[in-house]
mmCIF file with all atom_site columns, all heavy atoms in Angstrom:
data_model
loop_
_atom_site.group_PDB
_atom_site.id
_atom_site.type_symbol
_atom_site.label_atom_id
_atom_site.label_alt_id
_atom_site.label_comp_id
_atom_site.label_asym_id
_atom_site.label_entity_id
_atom_site.label_seq_id
_atom_site.pdbx_PDB_ins_code
_atom_site.Cartn_x
_atom_site.Cartn_y
_atom_site.Cartn_z
_atom_site.occupancy
_atom_site.B_iso_or_equiv
_atom_site.pdbx_formal_charge
_atom_site.auth_seq_id
_atom_site.auth_comp_id
_atom_site.auth_asym_id
_atom_site.auth_atom_id
_atom_site.pdbx_PDB_model_num
ATOM 1  N N   . PHE A 1 21  ? 2.636   -6.574  21.999  1.00 0.00 ? 21  PHE A N   1
ATOM 2  C CA  . PHE A 1 21  ? 1.939   -6.108  23.161  1.00 0.00 ? 21  PHE A CA  1
ATOM 3  C C   . PHE A 1 21  ? 1.561   -4.615  23.030  1.00 0.00 ? 21  PHE A C   1
ATOM 4  O O   . PHE A 1 21  ? 1.280   -3.971  24.024  1.00 0.00 ? 21  PHE A O   1
ATOM 5  C CB  . PHE A 1 21  ? 2.767   -6.369  24.423  1.00 0.00 ? 21  PHE A CB  1
ATOM 6  C CG  . PHE A 1 21  ? 2.895   -7.791  24.801  1.00 0.00 ? 21  PHE A CG  1
ATOM 7  C CD1 . PHE A 1 21  ? 3.850   -8.610  24.240  1.00 0.00 ? 21  PHE A CD1 1
ATOM 8  C CD2 . PHE A 1 21  ? 2.011   -8.358  25.720  1.00 0.00 ? 21  PHE A CD2 1
ATOM 9  C CE1 . PHE A 1 21  ? 3.989   -9.935  24.607  1.00 0.00 ? 21  PHE A CE1 1
ATOM 10 C CE2 . PHE A 1 21  ? 2.117   -9.700  26.081  1.00 0.00 ? 21  PHE A CE2 1
ATOM 11 C CZ  . PHE A 1 21  ? 3.108   -10.498 25.519  1.00 0.00 ? 21  PHE A CZ  1
ATOM 12 N N   . ALA A 1 30  ? 10.583  -6.249  13.821  1.00 0.00 ? 30  ALA A N   1
ATOM 13 C CA  . ALA A 1 30  ? 10.392  -7.073  12.582  1.00 0.00 ? 30  ALA A CA  1
ATOM 14 C C   . ALA A 1 30  ? 11.367  -6.641  11.492  1.00 0.00 ? 30  ALA A C   1
ATOM 15 O O   . ALA A 1 30  ? 11.950  -7.482  10.780  1.00 0.00 ? 30  ALA A O   1
ATOM 16 C CB  . ALA A 1 30  ? 8.977   -6.988  12.134  1.00 0.00 ? 30  ALA A CB  1
ATOM 17 N N   . ALA A 1 73  ? -1.641  -7.323  29.937  1.00 0.00 ? 73  ALA A N   1
ATOM 18 C CA  . ALA A 1 73  ? -1.686  -8.422  28.965  1.00 0.00 ? 73  ALA A CA  1
ATOM 19 C C   . ALA A 1 73  ? -1.071  -9.664  29.596  1.00 0.00 ? 73  ALA A C   1
ATOM 20 O O   . ALA A 1 73  ? 0.057   -9.631  30.088  1.00 0.00 ? 73  ALA A O   1
ATOM 21 C CB  . ALA A 1 73  ? -0.943  -8.045  27.689  1.00 0.00 ? 73  ALA A CB  1
ATOM 22 N N   . MET A 1 138 ? 16.737  2.710   26.510  1.00 0.00 ? 138 MET A N   1
ATOM 23 C CA  . MET A 1 138 ? 15.733  2.329   27.529  1.00 0.00 ? 138 MET A CA  1
ATOM 24 C C   . MET A 1 138 ? 14.419  3.105   27.302  1.00 0.00 ? 138 MET A C   1
ATOM 25 O O   . MET A 1 138 ? 14.442  4.241   26.836  1.00 0.00 ? 138 MET A O   1
ATOM 26 C CB  . MET A 1 138 ? 16.239  2.629   28.935  1.00 0.00 ? 138 MET A CB  1
ATOM 27 C CG  . MET A 1 138 ? 17.469  1.851   29.350  1.00 0.00 ? 138 MET A CG  1
ATOM 28 S SD  . MET A 1 138 ? 17.048  0.158   29.763  1.00 0.00 ? 138 MET A SD  1
ATOM 29 C CE  . MET A 1 138 ? 18.640  -0.406  30.450  1.00 0.00 ? 138 MET A CE  1
ATOM 30 N N   . VAL A 1 160 ? 20.050  0.395   36.094  1.00 0.00 ? 160 VAL A N   1
ATOM 31 C CA  . VAL A 1 160 ? 19.193  -0.802  35.954  1.00 0.00 ? 160 VAL A CA  1
ATOM 32 C C   . VAL A 1 160 ? 20.055  -2.035  36.307  1.00 0.00 ? 160 VAL A C   1
ATOM 33 O O   . VAL A 1 160 ? 20.875  -2.439  35.472  1.00 0.00 ? 160 VAL A O   1
ATOM 34 C CB  . VAL A 1 160 ? 18.594  -0.905  34.552  1.00 0.00 ? 160 VAL A CB  1
ATOM 35 C CG1 . VAL A 1 160 ? 17.677  -2.122  34.421  1.00 0.00 ? 160 VAL A CG1 1
ATOM 36 C CG2 . VAL A 1 160 ? 17.842  0.366   34.196  1.00 0.00 ? 160 VAL A CG2 1
ATOM 37 N N   . SER A 1 184 ? 20.526  1.767   20.108  1.00 0.00 ? 184 SER A N   1
ATOM 38 C CA  . SER A 1 184 ? 21.203  0.620   20.728  1.00 0.00 ? 184 SER A CA  1
ATOM 39 C C   . SER A 1 184 ? 22.311  0.164   19.757  1.00 0.00 ? 184 SER A C   1
ATOM 40 O O   . SER A 1 184 ? 22.061  -0.519  18.749  1.00 0.00 ? 184 SER A O   1
ATOM 41 C CB  . SER A 1 184 ? 20.215  -0.511  20.994  1.00 0.00 ? 184 SER A CB  1
ATOM 42 O OG  . SER A 1 184 ? 19.336  -0.164  22.010  1.00 0.00 ? 184 SER A OG  1
ATOM 43 N N   . GLY A 1 233 ? 1.933   4.659   -10.285 1.00 0.00 ? 233 GLY A N   1
ATOM 44 C CA  . GLY A 1 233 ? 3.238   5.241   -10.639 1.00 0.00 ? 233 GLY A CA  1
ATOM 45 C C   . GLY A 1 233 ? 4.228   5.149   -9.548  1.00 0.00 ? 233 GLY A C   1
ATOM 46 O O   . GLY A 1 233 ? 5.421   5.461   -9.706  1.00 0.00 ? 233 GLY A O   1
ATOM 47 N N   . ILE A 1 255 ? -4.430  -0.466  -14.966 1.00 0.00 ? 255 ILE A N   1
ATOM 48 C CA  . ILE A 1 255 ? -5.132  0.805   -15.229 1.00 0.00 ? 255 ILE A CA  1
ATOM 49 C C   . ILE A 1 255 ? -4.477  1.903   -14.379 1.00 0.00 ? 255 ILE A C   1
ATOM 50 O O   . ILE A 1 255 ? -4.299  1.784   -13.209 1.00 0.00 ? 255 ILE A O   1
ATOM 51 C CB  . ILE A 1 255 ? -6.637  0.703   -14.791 1.00 0.00 ? 255 ILE A CB  1
ATOM 52 C CG1 . ILE A 1 255 ? -7.342  -0.402  -15.639 1.00 0.00 ? 255 ILE A CG1 1
ATOM 53 C CG2 . ILE A 1 255 ? -7.334  2.052   -14.984 1.00 0.00 ? 255 ILE A CG2 1
ATOM 54 C CD1 . ILE A 1 255 ? -8.741  -0.748  -15.122 1.00 0.00 ? 255 ILE A CD1 1
ATOM 55 N N   . ILE A 1 312 ? -12.840 4.545   -7.090  1.00 0.00 ? 312 ILE A N   1
ATOM 56 C CA  . ILE A 1 312 ? -13.506 3.255   -7.196  1.00 0.00 ? 312 ILE A CA  1
ATOM 57 C C   . ILE A 1 312 ? -14.496 3.262   -8.372  1.00 0.00 ? 312 ILE A C   1
ATOM 58 O O   . ILE A 1 312 ? -14.591 2.330   -9.148  1.00 0.00 ? 312 ILE A O   1
ATOM 59 C CB  . ILE A 1 312 ? -14.243 2.930   -5.884  1.00 0.00 ? 312 ILE A CB  1
ATOM 60 C CG1 . ILE A 1 312 ? -13.212 2.556   -4.802  1.00 0.00 ? 312 ILE A CG1 1
ATOM 61 C CG2 . ILE A 1 312 ? -15.225 1.790   -6.054  1.00 0.00 ? 312 ILE A CG2 1
ATOM 62 C CD1 . ILE A 1 312 ? -13.758 2.464   -3.399  1.00 0.00 ? 312 ILE A CD1 1
ATOM 63 N N   . LEU A 1 328 ? -8.658  -8.685  -8.294  1.00 0.00 ? 328 LEU A N   1
ATOM 64 C CA  . LEU A 1 328 ? -8.169  -7.286  -8.162  1.00 0.00 ? 328 LEU A CA  1
ATOM 65 C C   . LEU A 1 328 ? -6.829  -7.380  -7.406  1.00 0.00 ? 328 LEU A C   1
ATOM 66 O O   . LEU A 1 328 ? -6.788  -7.882  -6.294  1.00 0.00 ? 328 LEU A O   1
ATOM 67 C CB  . LEU A 1 328 ? -9.160  -6.398  -7.395  1.00 0.00 ? 328 LEU A CB  1
ATOM 68 C CG  . LEU A 1 328 ? -8.604  -5.039  -6.984  1.00 0.00 ? 328 LEU A CG  1
ATOM 69 C CD1 . LEU A 1 328 ? -8.413  -4.157  -8.238  1.00 0.00 ? 328 LEU A CD1 1
ATOM 70 C CD2 . LEU A 1 328 ? -9.536  -4.362  -5.979  1.00 0.00 ? 328 LEU A CD2 1
ATOM 71 N N   . ASP A 1 336 ? 0.543   -1.817  6.508   1.00 0.00 ? 336 ASP A N   1
ATOM 72 C CA  . ASP A 1 336 ? -0.882  -1.670  6.371   1.00 0.00 ? 336 ASP A CA  1
ATOM 73 C C   . ASP A 1 336 ? -1.605  -2.882  6.979   1.00 0.00 ? 336 ASP A C   1
ATOM 74 O O   . ASP A 1 336 ? -2.635  -2.726  7.663   1.00 0.00 ? 336 ASP A O   1
ATOM 75 C CB  . ASP A 1 336 ? -1.297  -1.574  4.913   1.00 0.00 ? 336 ASP A CB  1
ATOM 76 C CG  . ASP A 1 336 ? -0.675  -0.379  4.197   1.00 0.00 ? 336 ASP A CG  1
ATOM 77 O OD1 . ASP A 1 336 ? -0.511  0.655   4.845   1.00 0.00 ? 336 ASP A OD1 1
ATOM 78 O OD2 . ASP A 1 336 ? -0.346  -0.471  3.000   1.00 0.00 ? 336 ASP A OD2 1
ATOM 79 N N   . GLY A 1 475 ? 8.925   5.800   7.150   1.00 0.00 ? 475 GLY A N   1
ATOM 80 C CA  . GLY A 1 475 ? 7.843   6.731   7.350   1.00 0.00 ? 475 GLY A CA  1
ATOM 81 C C   . GLY A 1 475 ? 7.214   6.710   8.721   1.00 0.00 ? 475 GLY A C   1
ATOM 82 O O   . GLY A 1 475 ? 6.383   7.538   9.068   1.00 0.00 ? 475 GLY A O   1
ATOM 83 N N   . ALA A 1 478 ? 10.351  10.305  11.286  1.00 0.00 ? 478 ALA A N   1
ATOM 84 C CA  . ALA A 1 478 ? 11.055  11.069  10.266  1.00 0.00 ? 478 ALA A CA  1
ATOM 85 C C   . ALA A 1 478 ? 11.653  12.341  10.864  1.00 0.00 ? 478 ALA A C   1
ATOM 86 O O   . ALA A 1 478 ? 11.080  12.922  11.774  1.00 0.00 ? 478 ALA A O   1
ATOM 87 C CB  . ALA A 1 478 ? 10.082  11.464  9.153   1.00 0.00 ? 478 ALA A CB  1
#
Side-chain angles (χ1 to χ4, degrees):
F21 289 85
M138 297 284 189
V160 183
S184 290
I255 298 170
I312 288 169
L328 169 68
D336 301 325

